[in-house]
Amino acid sequence: MILENTCILLHGDGALALERSRISSGDMESGSVLLRMIAAEVCGTDVHLKHRRLDTVPYPIIPGHVAVGRVVAMVGSVRDVDGMQIEEGAVVTYLDVIDTCNSCVSCLVDKESTRCPKRRVLGITCRADPRDVKGLLGGWSSHIYLPPNTKIIRLPEVLPPRVFMAGGCGLPTALHAIERAGIKLMDRVLVQGSGPVGLLAALLARLSGALQVIVTGAPEHRLEVVKRFGIDSTVNIEKAAPSERVAIVRDLTNGRMADVVIEVTGRPEAIPEGMSFCRDGGTYVVVGQYTNNGDAVVNPHHLINRKHLTVKGCWGSDFSHFYKGVQLMAKHVDLPWDSVISQTVRLGDVEKALLQVEKLGIFKALVEEPEAEKAS
């Protein structure tokens, strides 16, 4: 089958190019699946990729590491993790992480598969070639190639693709963060950052039984979205100086401060402030420092040792987080997810959406393409 494909190619100089090509499903590998893209995410990771803030990216790439699509071709028998046969026409999503070896020390001994050295991520660390069906390795493409052994999940009928994508890449990241945080019933939790990951971490903390959930962040339109999900309190960092924010949190927690603080800002200067939000003996989880944005000055005596603070990093996510994310979205489909998606664009307008994401002008953007296609 010959298909007309359109994709966005991101080059090493940060330039985005709309590429059109004809691809053949006859070139697919045994065990692979080809999707017709229904929706793909435009997220903060794509901003980092455009500005070359990750040092392991083999440009050019097709960005978009989380997407939903309809199966249009497959080679051989492909089953999902539940053992169910994947069939043409099924609406599916997939774990963006591929090639985790399950043979190295990180995978087998340390049980830290997100640190596997063989790990690659579709839409991030997979070099693309729009002229070869096997090179369509990202979501910003009318067709998406899933190599053999990609972990595929069929979307439940109750879960529309648009609702699932409101969780998108932020959901497995937030699930991993909550897992690392070890939130206990009646904990006070503070989340630094009011973007998609911050919203989802706050929501998950509430669902985990937290007594109180506070979100600090900006701009105000993002905090308004957070409030719609029943989060107890928000603090606009554009309207209060750092010293004032500590006092506000102290007042909100009746002097206790937070049992758990989760950082998802991506700003190094947020680290010492976040530690100061923790109670003595509290836990601080760093999630947002996905790229190298510089150093943070931390007084280890006052902020770590004397506070008896537990500090944890959180890198990436694995299939368990992705699988649970689909289940969570299906269970909570009636939450106000429409408020999360601020903008929907076609592939040709994705650069405009990316600029808005970078400027924090919108909460989240999606790329959507009509499912009609030309085939011969």
Side-chain angles (χ1 to χ4, degrees):
M1 180 168 59
I2 304 298
L3 299 165
E4 302 286 343
N5 190 69
T6 304
C7 70
I8 296 294
L9 205 62
L10 174 61
H11 294 276
D13 60 0
L16 293 170
L18 186 70
E19 300 279 345
R20 292 186 171 88
S21 60
R22 289 168 65 85
I23 56 172
S24 172
S25 61
D27 296 331
M28 294 170 58
E29 302 163 279
S30 178
S32 64
V33 173
L34 186 66
L35 305 182
R36 174 73 187 187
M37 186 264 283
I38 295 175
E41 191 169 17
V42 183
C43 72
T45 299
D46 302 312
V47 174
H48 295 315
L49 292 169
K50 179 175 172 60
H51 293 291
R52 296 184 61 89
R53 293 175 185 151
L54 294 172
D55 57 9
T56 57
V57 180
Y59 297 96
I61 62 169
I62 298 173
H65 64 110
V66 173
V68 172
R70 189 178 302 276
V71 177
V72 295
M74 60 198 318
V75 181
S77 176
V78 179
R79 296 181 181 274
D80 64 18
V81 69
D82 294 313
M84 301 295 292
Q85 180 74 42
I86 298 294
E87 299 175 346
E88 289 188 21
V91 176
V92 303
T93 186
Y94 54 91
L95 179 66
D96 54 354
V97 177
I98 60 173
D99 294 342
T100 302
C101 73
N102 295 312
S103 298
C104 67
V105 170
S106 291
C107 288
L108 293 181
V109 179
D110 300 335
K111 305 299 183 184
E112 299 289 353
S113 64
T114 65
R115 299 303 303 142
C116 174
K118 298 292 183 66
R119 183 179 188 266
R120 292 193 300 155
V121 183
L122 297 170
I124 300 179
T125 54
C126 293
R127 186 178 177 86
D129 181 356
R131 297 162 297 180
D132 181 354
V133 67
K134 297 188 294 295
L136 303 180
L137 299 172
W140 293 4
S141 178
S142 56
H143 294 86
I144 306 168
Y145 182 73
L146 304 182
N149 299 316
T150 302
K151 303 299 185 292
I152 300 172
I153 301 178
R154 189 192 313 265
L155 282 195
E157 291 186 7
V158 299
L159 181 57
R162 184 179 175 89
V163 172
F164 170 74
M165 291 303 296
C169 73
L171 185 53
T173 302
L175 280 162
H176 195 187
I178 294 296
E179 183 180 279
R180 294 285 285 162
I183 293 171
K184 299 184 291 296
L185 192 66
M186 309 308 284
D187 270 352
R188 293 173 173 85
V189 179
L190 186 144
V191 178
Q192 292 178 281
S194 54
V197 181
L199 163 66
L200 291 161
L203 174 62
L204 290 168
R206 185 167 69 85
L207 293 174
S208 298
L211 170 67
Q212 181 181 30
V213 181
I214 303 167
V215 172
T216 65
E220 186 62 36
H221 73 85
R222 286 192 160 197
L223 293 171
E224 289 299 324
V225 174
V226 170
K227 292 174 186 176
R228 293 186 191 124
F229 283 78
I231 303 309
D232 297 298
S233 305
T234 61
V235 179
N236 189 328
I237 62 173
E238 293 179 339
K239 297 180 179 179
S243 59
E244 295 174 316
R245 299 197 286 263
V246 173
I248 291 170
V249 171
R250 184 175 291 111
D251 287 343
L252 287 171
T253 59
N254 295 318
R256 284 278 299 164
M257 306 305 285
D259 300 285
V260 174
V261 176
I262 300 172
E263 179 277 323
V264 294
T265 67
R267 303 291 295 270
E269 63 269 25
I271 301 298
E273 180 176 350
M275 290 178 171
S276 69
F277 290 147
C278 288
R279 67 164 171 82
D280 288 358
T283 298
Y284 189 60
V285 181
V286 180
V287 184
Q289 307 301 313
Y290 183 60
T291 59
N292 184 359
N293 284 327
D295 298 332
V297 178
V298 174
N299 184 306
H301 169 69
H302 287 294
L303 292 178
I304 300 176
N305 213 52
R306 188 171 175 178
K307 286 178 73 74
H308 197 58
L309 195 66
T310 298
V311 181
K312 297 182 179 182
C314 182
W315 181 258
S317 56
D318 63 24
F319 184 76
S320 70
H321 308 118
F322 195 74
Y323 185 85
K324 292 175 183 177
V326 173
Q327 294 176 314
L328 183 136
M329 294 300 288
K331 181 175 177 61
H332 296 283
V333 70
D334 293 330
L335 288 173
W337 298 112
D338 277 347
S339 63
V340 173
I341 300 172
S342 311
Q343 186 176 11
T344 301
V345 298
R346 299 283 298 276
L347 280 166
D349 294 321
V350 71
E351 191 162 14
K352 297 176 184 177
L354 186 62
L355 179 61
Q356 286 299 312
V357 170
E358 182 172 8
K359 292 165 54 180
L360 305 184
I362 58 177
F363 201 90
K364 175 177 281 196
L366 294 185
V367 184
E368 293 182 345
E369 286 289 297
E371 289 194 68
E373 61 188 15
K374 299 177 183 179
S376 61

